[in-house]
Amino acid sequence: MTESLHSFLSSGLNNLESKGLLNTIDTLQGPNGPLITVNGNQLINLASNNYLGFADKKELIDANISATKKWGVGAGAVRPINGTLQIHDQLEKKIAEFKGTEDALAYQSGFNANMGAIAAVMNKKDAILSDELNHASIIDGSRLSGAKIIRIKHKDMTDLENKAKEATESGLYEKVMYITDGVFSMDGDIQDLPAVVKIAEKYNLITYVDDAHGSGVMGKGAGTVKSFGLQDKIDFQMGTLSKAVGVVGGYVAGKGELIKWLKSQSRSFLFSTSITPGSAAAVIEALDEIMSHPEYVEQLWDNARYFKKRIKEIGFNIGESETPISPVIIGDEAKTQKFSELLIKNGVYAKPIVYPTVPLGTGRIRNMPMRTHTKEMLDTAIEVYKKVGNELNYL
Ligand SMILES: *Cc1c(COP(=O)(O)O)cnc(C)c1O
């Protein structure tokens, strides 16, 4: 290896290891379902984003296989050359129907959607007002655009209004965008979108909502924007097809004019081959299932409410969560790591989230109840929480 690369890597790796920031990644020995197998041990899975249990659902697998047989394993080219198959058009129609918009554009992932969509409309003459807890892909996509990024205190509408007023009245910027998660992934709280829309209308802000954790979860599954009936007021409804939808891919849904623009100006769409025909077909099946089986989303919420109620009853703090995302706040970073280790040792797979992902002293275990957990699995998980809580003198 080149000496300069080696010295960079070895000192960097030592530094990460000494700070406890080196990633160790567990490999699953089967699907990411309600129970998973890691190192030969079967564990109750409270770590996935597979909210509805769609990642290994039979109907989606069948749709994937038959589309693969019909269309092949790959799209064969980037979309604007000749990598747009009919199944991609069908996918985008289905996303637009699901989101209640005129049109939609599919990307290879949610991360790619944010990398490609923000910079397609914003540039260095513009400003982006951004909630301070926004996802990493929003931050990176915003940086790529070259626009001035203005941090807004989390869900603070007074701060948003003040900074929107300042940015629009300063005359420094051609366009001003407000961008936010619909559901925040670390705390499970929901952005106050009706208040956002009022401010956006007053100051003529472009609005962009990343609903990665809202789709398939909020508003009968259609997402946070639609749950507030705001699909005509939010310019960009961005999301992922890899969480509740269970497959892979990302999208932007909005007005036809916006999608037309993205199709010729969004670089991650233009210069990267789209999702496979099999994935597209599995997503179409998933969206049909969400729309025709409202009980799936209900079952998810039933399990989530049950888990949160029981975990509170035994004495844990679950913070501000309003969604199935169920953080259990431990506080101290080392204690949070230890807590997760003991959970896993006792049969419950739930991961620690600590600084710098969340503020110092607010370390937590992030629990993701699924539609496909049985009450018995959740009860067992609660018993393990009780045991570990007592062992660490936390309860
Ligand atoms: C997970 C997530 C993404 C990325 O989606 P992928 O499809 O996994 O790339 C983007 N934004 C938010 C808010 C997310 O939670």
Side-chain angles (χ1 to χ4, degrees):
M1 191 188 285
T2 309
E3 180 48 40
S4 59
L5 175 61
H6 170 67
S7 68
F8 168 79
L9 294 177
S10 66
S11 71
L13 286 168
N14 284 337
N15 182 30
L16 287 179
E17 186 150 28
S18 70
K19 288 182 180 152
L21 294 176
L22 197 59
N23 271 344
T24 51
I25 296 174
D26 293 328
T27 300
L28 306 192
Q29 293 163 301
N32 202 345
L35 298 172
I36 51 174
T37 308
V38 179
N39 296 323
N41 300 314
Q42 194 183 59
L43 307 163
I44 296 168
N45 179 15
L46 286 175
S48 86
N49 295 319
N50 184 14
Y51 289 101
L52 297 175
F54 278 11
D56 65 338
K57 194 171 195 298
K58 183 181 179 305
E59 291 80 357
L60 274 71
I61 295 171
D62 290 345
N64 187 321
I65 291 170
S66 53
T68 302
K69 286 187 174 154
K70 180 166 178 192
W71 298 102
V73 291
V78 294
R79 292 278 304 270
I81 304 287
N82 71 349
T84 298
L85 313 183
Q86 281 174 330
I87 193 98
H88 294 112
D89 287 342
Q90 286 164 21
L91 168 67
E92 286 165 344
K93 268 210 191 84
K94 188 60 72 181
I95 294 170
E97 177 192 344
F98 181 58
K99 290 286 158 182
T101 57
E102 283 178 12
D103 207 351
L105 189 66
Y107 288 83
Q108 305 83 357
S109 72
F111 202 106
N112 271 328
N114 280 334
M115 294 307 282
I118 303 169
V121 295
M122 303 303 282
N123 61 53
K124 59 181 191 308
K125 296 180 195 148
D126 300 324
I128 297 175
L129 308 170
S130 180
D131 188 285
E132 64 186 342
L133 296 189
N134 278 344
H135 189 261
S137 58
I138 295 181
I139 297 167
D140 289 5
S142 301
R143 283 182 184 151
L144 189 63
S145 75
K148 166 84 177 167
I149 298 169
I150 301 167
R151 224 172 121 109
I152 306 297
K153 282 190 199 128
H154 182 48
K155 286 177 63 176
D156 185 331
M157 291 301 128
T158 310
D159 196 38
L160 173 59
E161 171 136 27
N162 289 341
K163 287 176 178 159
K165 188 169 194 293
E166 212 177 295
T168 48
E169 288 175 2
S170 70
L172 290 171
Y173 309 111
E174 279 184 3
K175 305 192 283 309
V176 182
M177 173 185 273
Y178 173 66
I179 187 163
T180 182
D181 284 17
V183 171
F184 289 87
S185 58
M186 294 303 146
D187 291 287
D189 54 337
I190 300 167
Q191 183 60 270
D192 186 354
L193 294 180
V196 163
V197 164
K198 269 193 199 136
I199 296 169
E201 286 184 334
K202 189 164 167 192
Y203 296 98
N204 195 26
L205 308 177
I206 299 166
T207 47
Y208 188 121
V209 176
D210 176 339
D211 213 14
H213 282 277
S215 289
V217 177
M218 299 289 298
K220 300 196 171 74
T224 314
V225 172
K226 220 169 163 190
S227 79
F228 289 115
L230 294 172
Q231 59 272 22
D232 290 327
K233 305 277 185 176
I234 299 293
D235 295 309
F236 292 76
Q237 284 195 64
M238 175 269 157
T240 176
L241 302 170
S242 67
K243 289 177 178 149
V245 178
V247 192
V248 72
Y251 59 85
V252 170
K255 292 272 190 259
E257 191 180 26
L258 170 66
I259 302 308
K260 199 168 166 187
W261 176 260
L262 294 177
K263 274 186 180 164
S264 61
Q265 293 296 315
S266 186
R267 292 170 68 83
S268 58
F269 172 82
L270 292 171
F271 298 108
S272 182
T273 302
S274 59
I275 60 170
T276 65
S279 295
V283 170
I284 292 169
E285 174 64 26
L287 299 183
D288 276 334
E289 294 217 6
I290 293 172
M291 289 189 278
S292 61
H293 292 277
E295 72 273 16
Y296 288 166
V297 176
E298 252 328 294
Q299 288 159 359
L300 163 68
W301 280 84
D302 269 354
N303 274 350
R305 278 190 284 261
Y306 181 77
F307 181 80
K308 290 203 299 198
K309 177 169 160 275
R310 299 261 349 248
I311 205 96
K312 261 201 267 191
E313 273 167 12
I314 63 171
F316 286 103
N317 169 13
I318 64 159
E320 307 293 319
S321 173
E322 305 167 78
T323 62
I325 297 170
S326 311
V328 166
I329 315 241
I330 305 293
D332 176 72
E333 285 66 39
K335 214 166 172 185
T336 308
Q337 308 270 16
K338 183 78 194 158
F339 206 106
S340 165
E341 264 169 47
L342 287 178
L343 287 174
I344 294 172
K345 213 177 259 169
N346 284 279
V348 174
Y349 196 86
K351 299 291 272 198
I353 306 217
V354 297
Y355 179 81
T357 309
V358 294
L360 208 59
T362 71
R364 79 262 330 254
I365 311 285
R366 184 158 162 272
N367 301 282
M368 307 291 275
M370 297 165 64
R371 172 184 76 92
T372 44
H373 283 127
T374 62
K375 289 280 187 300
E376 291 69 35
M377 292 175 196
L378 296 177
D379 285 340
T380 307
I382 299 288
E383 286 312 309
V384 171
Y385 258 97
K386 229 187 208 164
K387 177 169 178 240
V388 173
N390 284 324
E391 237 170 274
L392 293 180
N393 295 319
Y394 189 82
L395 290 178

